[in-house]
Amino acid sequence: MHPEPQNEVSPKTIEQVYQPLTRRTFLKGAAASMVGLAGLTAALKPLLELESGAITLDDLLQKHYRELSADDLKRIMAGIADKTEKEHGVRPAVRDLKPLDGVEFGYALNLTRCIGCRKCAHACLKENNQSRDDANDIEMSYIRVLELDKGAINLETSNVYYDPAKVPQKDKFYMPVQCQQCRQSPCTKVCPVQATWQEKDGLVVVDYNWCIGCRYCMAACPYDARRFNYQKPTITKEAINPNQSYLSNRIRPKGVVEKCTFCLHRTRDGKYPACLEVCPTGARVFGNLRDPNSEINYILNNKRVYVLKEEVGTLPRFYYFFDK
Amino acid sequence: MRDYVTFLWRVWRLSWQGSVKYYAWMSVLTVLVLIGLHAWARQFVDGLQVTGMTNQVSWGAYIANFTFLVGVAAAAVMLVIPAYIYKKEHMHEVVLFGELMAIAVIVMCLLFVTVDLGRPDRFLHMIPPFGVFNFPGSILSWDVIVLNGYLLINLHIASYLLYSRYRQQQPTKKFYIPFVFLSIVWAVSIHTVTAFLYVGLAGRSYWHHPLVPSRFLASAFVAGPALMVLAFQIIRRTTRYWIGDQPIFTLRMLMTVAMIINMFLLGCELFTEFYYPTQHAAAAHYLYFGLHGHSGLVPWIWTAITLDVIGLVLLASPASRQIAGLNLACVACFVGIWIEKGMGLIIPGFVPTPLGQVVEYLPTLNETLVCLGIWAFGALMYSWMLHVAVPIMNGSLRARPELSPSTL
Ligand code: SF4
Ligand code: SF4
């Protein structure tokens, strides 16, 4: 009744399976395996181009930052310095700065003053050793300056690629956006391996040696604050800032995520972030939210303050304010 | 134990026995797999810069395919439920093929996630006890659990049933029936959890939408059965295992219902987005009509919608009572949903960016080859499993060939 199938496995074939292996089938199988093996080798050939030291056993066995002993960390940081020296010709001082007691950092930005000159975005690159092709390539900067039409704060119609002869333009205003160091940070919540977390002083950091590069945090961040190393970072010897730290601006490996840390290698050392220092209009205010007398608390208590995307519930530690 | 070794040996032997056609098919697939592997090795060395992804669109074709395939894998329940809950005899003859398909597809899902990683060398970080598992916070951790769990459950059921059949023994119910029921719940979970990956991201309004999981489920229950309908016909045409029309038409009925629900939900979505468009509709606007002069996804989504509609009309009309019409409907639905659940769901989540930038995404050649390689690997696995499973199912490969196959 059923049409006879054009059978793949006829009873005769099955018969052979029960018989001991004949010399002929053995040779056939061996030949097929050889061809397969040759194909596999050819397919994997690009792996030969892997730089030596790109992946070491030490890397593979390294534990999460928060589980490292002080000695391990010291050894690892020395290794990072060695590697940077070997590859870039500059020996950095890689430090590990811990959060300070009684400190929670906050940042405020004066939208009335900002003129959209993008000096902060460039200073960020210089400070944080991001990958870049040339001095004009600010794609990896942690700061994106938005040009907005006056009359509303409408991100939908914003422009980051604005390039007029002179800023500010009359009918525009400017809004730099960087990591908001959210109190309820979606990025740390979604990371499957806890490679990114909030420190005691509120800074959201990434362990570049632990991140698996799944980019779930990038999808989760409502502020487009995270960057991914799609390639091995490109940076010239002259451009390297040798004052580095493990959790912030050391040269990143390929395939991991990075982000603004409020320059923790500076701010945990009593200095201001690089973007603040370079701002020509003094639009940026940085300080300790736990210190009632800090300038940042003065702003929060006395100015009209705007929180970006408040409806998402991230509770940023970054605020915008207006003069008039 | 010795029996089991003999079994494995025979399976191994059988894998290398086959007609010229079998060899040709498997060789073509192997070559495609190797090409994909080569492309992936390139990506491993040079980094994800060889893909079309950017800081703005940070997930692309890999995650799109992954998302779609999770649905296909879960759709094995469309066979399991009628077979085991409604005790439909005719479904029993095919349910195993559905489970084998689920296995192959889940493996593809896991591969798609792996190739998407920037640091695949650190994948152990995701796996307890070696890593630091972010559970229950991260939905991705949940996904790792449910996907691997689903794989194990189906592997257990399928290999237990096959091995029993091989030994010509009635399978002991308590060794597999509980797992069958578990697999039903679990199938829904792989789906839902994968949808929650996206729905959980409040910052992306295109995804942060309670309809997403339901649409996900509905469309998967079309795409999965569609693939099975096609696969069953290939099985009955090329092997000595007869599959009647009945299971195929049961699937047709299920698909029709699921497709109607899917299209209804799509309508709800379109109404909400476009009747009174808010800023949150920007992504949908980009997808369907383009935004600020960028319209990369527009041809894709309209192709998908056209295919979906053709599929629905065919399914709902008498045309699909003929096998040819049904096949056409299956192909239309499968491709339509592949586009819609892949490119149509993932990419607009990133366009425009949360800050309003429009950066378009197109997969590169290298990326496409990796995808192709994984699809070929799935097909290779499924073909191989069928090649071995069918002779066991029809009794020609058995523990004691001297006994007649009909003792069972
Ligand atoms: S702004 Fe983005 S990266 Fe920064 S803490 Fe918030 S969610 Fe994380
Ligand atoms: S990319 Fe890295 S930091 Fe981000 S979620 Fe994945 S593992 Fe965590």
Side-chain angles (χ1 to χ4, degrees), chain A residues 178-188 196 198 202 204 217 220-226 259-260 314:
Chain A
Q178 64 205 74
C179 173
Q180 313 270 309
Q181 318 290 353
C182 310
R183 292 177 176 87
Q184 282 188 34
S185 43
C187 56
T188 58
T196 181
Q198 262 186 59
V204 174
C217 53
C221 174
Y223 302 95
D224 190 16
R226 291 179 163 252
K259 64 180 287 298
C260 164
T314 46

Side-chain angles (χ1 to χ4, degrees), chain B residues 14 87 195 286 374 379:
Chain B
L14 181 57
K87 309 251 187 282
Y286 168 70
I374 295 178

